[in-house]
Amino acid sequence: MGSGRRARVRDVHDLAMGMPHVERVPGSQDRPVYQVGRRSFVFFRNPRPDAVDPETGERYADVIVFWVASEADKEALVADERTPFFTTPHFDGHPSVLLRESRIGELSYDELAEIVQDAWLARASPRRAKAWLEAHGL
């Protein structure tokens, strides 16, 4: 996938806050949640029993959730073995993909930017999404 420098966790924060009308709110255990119009589009998840290391059984403490536009988009990202995205049964029917912070470097900055922008577009109001797309010639 893509080109450019490798993505970093700090980029998630910077990219999310770089989108218009975004607010960072504290989630449970003060893990950040990024919202547009009070609708989450990226959040850093607490360790949960559905996302565990298959060898040790320990809960992943570094999961980031990104909204996607559709179930088809989710399936495409999760099914593509070139990406580090995954899901769990807890997210069945939920338009989002998961990514471990420890694997973020498998994405380029450009790929991560596209994921964050698409997450924002999936959750922004139609008016805001249209204005952003027009401003970016898309």
Side-chain angles (χ1 to χ4, degrees):
M1 284 186 76
S3 62
R5 73 163 172 81
R6 297 286 93 198
R8 299 183 286 243
V9 174
R10 176 79 243 153
D11 297 329
V12 176
H13 301 283
D14 295 342
L15 288 163
M17 286 305 299
M19 298 302 292
H21 310 288
V22 169
E23 181 180 10
R24 177 182 166 153
V25 298
S28 60
Q29 299 180 12
D30 286 328
R31 308 259 308 149
V33 176
Y34 293 94
Q35 297 181 337
V36 55
R38 295 192 189 115
R39 298 177 77 196
S40 301
F41 67 97
V42 173
F43 71 89
F44 288 73
R45 190 173 185 232
N46 295 329
R48 301 278 308 224
D50 67 307
V52 298
D53 183 298
E55 293 179 19
T56 67
E58 289 187 43
R59 294 177 182 187
Y60 293 143
D62 66 342
V63 175
I64 309 168
V65 179
F66 299 89
W67 257 256
V68 294
S70 69
E71 189 69 24
D73 291 337
K74 174 182 182 169
E75 291 304 318
L77 286 168
V78 171
D80 187 342
E81 293 179 8
R82 296 171 297 166
T83 77
F85 297 105
F86 70 103
T87 191
T88 69
H90 178 77
F91 285 92
D92 284 353
H94 190 273
S96 61
V97 293
L98 310 176
L99 172 67
R100 294 192 62 205
E101 292 177 32
S102 61
R103 295 190 63 192
I104 201 163
E106 295 176 37
L107 298 173
S108 71
Y109 176 86
D110 294 341
E111 290 167 335
L112 179 63
E114 184 177 339
I115 292 296
V116 172
Q117 291 163 358
D118 286 350
W120 184 90
L121 287 165
R123 302 293 285 168
S125 69
R127 180 181 53 80
R128 286 177 174 166
K130 182 178 185 239
W132 187 87
L133 288 167
E134 287 174 355
H136 290 84
L138 303 172

